Amino acid sequence: MGNPYGLVCIAMLAFAANSLLCRMALANTDIDPGLFTTIRLASGALCLTLLVAFTARRSLLSNNKSEQSASGTEGAAANIKSATAGTSAIAAIKQQASIAGALSLFVYAIAFSYAYISMSTGTGALLLFGAVQLTMISVGLLKGERFAAFQWLGFLLAFAGLVILLLPGASAPPLFSALLMVSAGIAWGFYSLLGKKSNAPLLLSAGNFLYATLLTLPLVMWLWVTSTWQWSNEGVFYALASGIVASGCGYAIWYKALPLIQSTTAATVQLSVPVIATLMGWAFLAEAISLQIMIASLMTLGGIWLVIKMRNA
């Protein structure tokens, strides 16, 4: 199965790389954000579909060779095998996907791309991650989850951290871009909640990526008809890397690691993503790490950590 913590580290690097690759494409090349989004989603869908087909075939071959063994397959392979029983991988992918999931993924991806036109890598990752976690926490509260005093403190601290990030200063992004990234985070939060109960998350992601790609086609056609289509070979490369490596392979590795670690660990370790993204932006794009973003990061991530920690105390 591999070292679970090694897999987790690779997955976190992949998630942070999504922010870096998007920012590199939109800051350093002429590719249009809409085209970037379409290529990212389409290549991610292709990668995930191939992974599903490969996993299902490997599980079938493994099962045929060891039918006398009671152990069977584990984790994602077992879930994919169960979901694809008696049907093709493509049909199983279609069955697992949902319109709500695809729409949430589409809103996240398109808002994420357009927000990064005028936002640093670390600032975008912190806004995105903060909005995702606060959305999921808020939905829990609306469903009747009760917070202890320290959890409320953490929630308010995290919210205040995002507010500080948006205050006028060198690190503050334009308001419209910030609103787009917060919208992307809210959409991703709902996408995560929709997929939380899935017993075959790889199939679910493959299907939702496929349907979300279809939702981008009207935008691409409009860009082409209005002659606002902007192509860049380097930008396409970044989009493919984001879709295949950071999204497709990243999610596959994450789903492989999830059954091997505690849910508290899974939630807490994701706090590292904005920090990694900030460091990537500094290393690859020479983006400054200001006192404002450091304070906002400590407050937002520390507050979310407090909510998670006390929830499982």
Side-chain angles (χ1 to χ4, degrees), residues 174-186:
L175 181 59
F176 183 67
S177 294
L179 290 175
L180 280 176
M181 191 60 82
V182 169
S183 299
I186 293 171

Side-chain angles (χ1 to χ4, degrees), residues 16-36:
N18 261 325
S19 290
L20 177 68
L21 291 166
C22 185
R23 178 60 183 159
M24 289 175 76
L26 298 176
N28 298 339
T29 79
D30 294 326
I31 192 170
D32 183 88
L35 182 59
F36 177 92

Side-chain angles (χ1 to χ4, degrees), residues 3-309:
N3 182 341
Y5 295 103
L7 295 175
V8 166
C9 288
I10 295 172
M12 295 306 102
L13 287 171
F15 293 162
N18 261 325
S19 290
L20 177 68
L21 291 166
C22 185
R23 178 60 183 159
M24 289 175 76
L26 298 176
N28 298 339
T29 79
D30 294 326
I31 192 170
D32 183 88
L35 182 59
F36 177 92
T37 303
T38 301
I39 295 172
R40 178 192 173 191
L41 290 174
S43 59
L46 177 61
C47 177
L48 288 165
T49 300
L50 291 174
L51 285 171
V52 166
F54 173 76
T55 304
R57 178 174 175 78
R58 188 178 63 176
S59 298
L60 180 62
L61 292 175
S62 176
N63 190 60
N64 288 340
K65 291 179 180 179
S66 56
E67 286 184 342
Q68 296 177 349
S69 171
S71 59
T73 56
E74 299 181 58
N79 292 331
I80 290 176
K81 178 191 169 186
S82 175
T84 56
T87 186
S88 68
I90 297 298
I93 287 172
K94 291 180 179 179
Q95 291 170 3
Q96 289 287 324
S98 69
I99 298 300
L103 184 60
S104 298
L105 179 60
F106 168 75
V107 172
Y108 148 74
I110 200 72
F112 179 84
S113 296
Y114 277 94
Y116 260 129
I117 293 175
S118 53
M119 185 180 297
S120 70
T121 306
T123 299
L126 183 60
L127 276 175
L128 176 75
F129 179 83
V132 169
Q133 294 298 322
L134 290 179
T135 297
M136 297 177 72
I137 291 169
S138 298
V139 170
L141 287 173
L142 291 174
K143 287 187 175 181
E145 184 177 340
R146 294 292 177 261
F147 271 12
F150 277 106
Q151 287 180 294
W152 278 113
L153 175 63
F155 183 82
L156 295 174
L157 188 65
F159 185 80
L162 294 182
V163 172
I164 286 176
L165 185 63
L166 298 176
L167 291 177
S171 299
L175 181 59
F176 183 67
S177 294
L179 290 175
L180 280 176
M181 191 60 82
V182 169
S183 299
I186 293 171
W188 187 257
F190 280 110
Y191 179 77
S192 299
L193 290 169
L194 288 169
K196 199 172 182 181
K197 296 181 180 180
S198 174
N199 63 347
L202 201 59
L203 279 168
L204 179 71
S205 291
N208 285 337
F209 263 76
L210 179 61
Y211 288 154
T213 301
L214 298 178
L215 291 175
T216 68
L217 296 183
L219 172 61
V220 173
M221 291 180 64
W222 179 79
L223 292 172
W224 181 67
V225 169
T226 57
S227 300
T228 53
W229 177 293
Q230 292 180 300
W231 180 276
S232 164
N233 290 337
E234 186 180 1
V236 169
F237 170 78
Y238 290 139
L240 289 171
S242 178
I244 296 171
V245 180
S247 296
C249 294
Y251 296 155
I253 292 169
W254 178 239
Y255 294 141
K256 183 181 177 83
L258 273 179
L260 308 178
I261 59 177
Q262 295 181 346
S263 59
T264 310
T265 303
T268 305
V269 75
Q270 292 179 67
L271 295 172
S272 65
V273 174
V275 177
I276 296 171
T278 300
L279 293 174
M280 283 181 169
W282 170 77
F284 293 97
L285 295 173
E287 294 176 344
I289 302 177
S290 67
L291 181 61
Q292 184 179 5
I293 194 172
M294 288 176 65
I295 293 173
S297 297
L298 287 172
M299 291 179 66
T300 301
L301 303 181
I304 293 170
W305 176 84
L306 195 57
V307 172
I308 295 169
K309 187 72 173 178

